[in-house]
């Protein structure tokens, strides 16, 4: 339990809404673990007040901020600088104070990479399929591109958004990273042994029995599944893998590591992976 006193440093989350956030719980454990006197406050911010909120946080010397839906791109014009990788993605979720404002980072991307390493999932160069082309898929797509993926696939219900994301990434990296495919055309994926990253909202609580692809033939093409959803802890997508005796993972470690990466930037203190099981347990207990 945090004891707030005159020395307590403030961190916060700018979003709209913020009621369901698990980040205060994550940061409380991290603060306890590293011996920081820090409070993490959800700050519900109407889009029309976003610029004022950033200025206010600067005026009140916030140690750092997270940013969530719908502000991840809209906040960029109000920052004093942006990390080059976050600039490529066009979205930030972490603000770190600097002399004349805040610098924006994308720890969704780096957090996903760290979560996959923690889970022992390596990213293959060619046999990767990313399902979805929205905001969460975008961060995952850039992570995959940063990890040297070539000739992988983005499959989505709306072909136009998949094509747009592929074009954007292929242009940014000056090579073919992704090819677009309609979700219903999963049978066109050549060969098997794919890492499948699930980045749509399908299967999110309370739609626990839904997966973007409900055909076991797709899962036969895959060797490992990574779902960015963490509520429920086992999604229908993950269950397809389990039923075929294959490993799959939920988005809980991505959530935790985006928080850890933000926390490390704010405090300058490295966080050991040893704390992760404790955070998982607390989040699971809370659910
Ligand atoms: P997020 O920020 O969670 O990524 P988003 O940007 O709204 O949310 O993206 C949602 C993703 O889930 C998109 O890829 C969307 O597909 P479309 O581009 O076709 O909209 C996908 N999605 C949402 N509902 C879906 C459904 N019922 N079937 C298949 N895909 C769905």
């Amino acid at each position: 339990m945090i004891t707030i006193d005159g020395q307590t440093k403030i961190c916060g989350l700018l979003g709209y809404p913020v009621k369901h956030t698990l980040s205060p719980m994550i940061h409380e454990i991290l603060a306890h673990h590293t011996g920081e006197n820090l409070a993490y406050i959800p700050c519900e911010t109407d889009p029309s007040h976003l610029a004022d909120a950033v200025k206010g946080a600067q005026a009140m010397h916030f140690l750092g901020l997270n940013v969530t839906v719908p502000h991840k791109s809209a906040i960029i014009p109000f920052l004093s600088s942006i990390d080059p990788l976050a600039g490529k993605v066009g979205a930030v979720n972490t603000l770190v104070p600097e002399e004349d404002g805040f610098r924006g980072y994308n720890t969704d991307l780096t957090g996903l990479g760290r979560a996959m390493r923690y889970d022992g999932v390596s990213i293959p160069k060619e046999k990767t399929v990313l399902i979805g082309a929205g905001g969460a898929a975008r961060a995952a797509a850039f992570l995959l591109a940063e990890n040297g993926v070539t000739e992988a696939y983005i499959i989505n219900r709306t072909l136009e958004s998949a094509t747009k994301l592929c074009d954007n990434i292929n242009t940014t990296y000056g090579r073919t990273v992704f090819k677009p495919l309609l979700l219903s055309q999963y049978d066109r994926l050549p060969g098997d042994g794919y890492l499948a990253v699930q980045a749509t909202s399908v299967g999110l609580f309370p739609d626990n029995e839904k997966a973007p692809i409900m055909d076991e033939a797709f899962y036969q093409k895959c060797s490992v599944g990574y779902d960015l959803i963490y509520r429920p802890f086992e999604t229908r997508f993950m269950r397809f893998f389990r039923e075929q005796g294959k490993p799959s993972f939920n988005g809980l470690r991505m959530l935790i590591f985006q928080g850890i990466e933000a926390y490390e930037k704010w405090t300058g203190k490295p966080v050991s992976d040893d704390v992760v099981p404790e955070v998982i347990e607390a989040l699971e207990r809370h659910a």
Side-chain angles (χ1 to χ4, degrees), residues 132-136 156-158 161 183 200-202:
N156 196 47
R157 175 180 62 177
T158 312
S161 347
L183 190 60
T200 75
S201 47
V202 185

Side-chain angles (χ1 to χ4, degrees), residues 249-282:
F249 302 88
N250 67 22
L252 209 55
R253 268 89 53 231
M254 176 186 180
L255 174 74
I256 293 168
F257 278 110
Q258 65 74 30
I260 288 178
E261 296 252 319
Y263 184 90
E264 289 177 338
K265 287 187 190 308
W266 298 334
T267 63
K269 288 190 176 170
V271 175
S272 141
D273 283 1
D274 296 349
V275 74
V276 175
E278 186 188 332
V279 182
I280 292 174
E281 200 196 311

Side-chain angles (χ1 to χ4, degrees), residues 145-208:
E146 284 291 316
N147 276 270
V149 158
T150 54
E151 304 285 324
Y153 294 85
I154 294 178
I155 67 174
N156 196 47
R157 175 180 62 177
T158 312
L159 184 62
E160 201 189 342
S161 347
T163 305
K164 217 170 139 187
L165 181 54
C166 289
D167 289 349
N168 182 195
I169 291 189
N170 296 345
T171 306
T172 305
Y173 288 86
R175 59 183 164 86
T176 304
V177 180
F178 292 112
K179 293 175 181 170
L181 209 58
L182 253 181
L183 190 60
S184 55
Q185 294 175 333
Y186 56 85
D187 56 338
R188 295 200 188 168
L189 289 170
D192 52 22
Y194 282 86
L195 160 67
V197 180
Q198 199 304 103
T200 75
S201 47
V202 185
L204 196 61
F205 177 84
D207 289 328
N208 297 13

Side-chain angles (χ1 to χ4, degrees), residues 69-237:
V69 178
H71 304 319
K72 287 184 182 185
S73 298
I75 203 163
I76 293 174
F78 310 127
L79 304 177
S80 46
S81 70
I82 187 162
D83 167 70
L85 191 51
K88 277 189 205 171
V89 183
V92 304
N93 75 316
T94 296
L95 309 189
V96 179
E98 58 185 4
E99 206 171 276
D100 49 350
F102 288 100
R103 182 169 174 84
Y105 293 87
N106 191 312
T107 71
D108 287 331
L109 185 159
T110 51
L112 174 59
R114 204 156 144 189
M116 289 176 101
R117 279 197 301 282
Y118 179 88
D119 287 326
V121 174
S122 54
I123 299 171
K125 295 269 178 280
E126 289 172 15
K127 290 291 176 64
T128 298
V129 55
L130 173 62
I131 310 169
R138 196 173 163 79
F142 274 91
L143 172 75
L144 297 171
E146 284 291 316
N147 276 270
V149 158
T150 54
E151 304 285 324
Y153 294 85
I154 294 178
I155 67 174
N156 196 47
R157 175 180 62 177
T158 312
L159 184 62
E160 201 189 342
S161 347
T163 305
K164 217 170 139 187
L165 181 54
C166 289
D167 289 349
N168 182 195
I169 291 189
N170 296 345
T171 306
T172 305
Y173 288 86
R175 59 183 164 86
T176 304
V177 180
F178 292 112
K179 293 175 181 170
L181 209 58
L182 253 181
L183 190 60
S184 55
Q185 294 175 333
Y186 56 85
D187 56 338
R188 295 200 188 168
L189 289 170
D192 52 22
Y194 282 86
L195 160 67
V197 180
Q198 199 304 103
T200 75
S201 47
V202 185
L204 196 61
F205 177 84
D207 289 328
N208 297 13
E209 289 308 312
K210 291 188 185 155
I213 299 169
M214 292 295 286
D215 178 0
E216 62 184 37
F218 167 74
Y219 299 90
Q220 275 157 7
K221 285 179 169 292
C222 302
S223 55
V224 51
Y226 213 96
D227 200 330
L228 303 194
I229 292 176
Y230 54 83
R231 215 186 319 234
F233 296 131
E234 186 185 59
T235 60
R236 183 69 189 90
F237 171 84

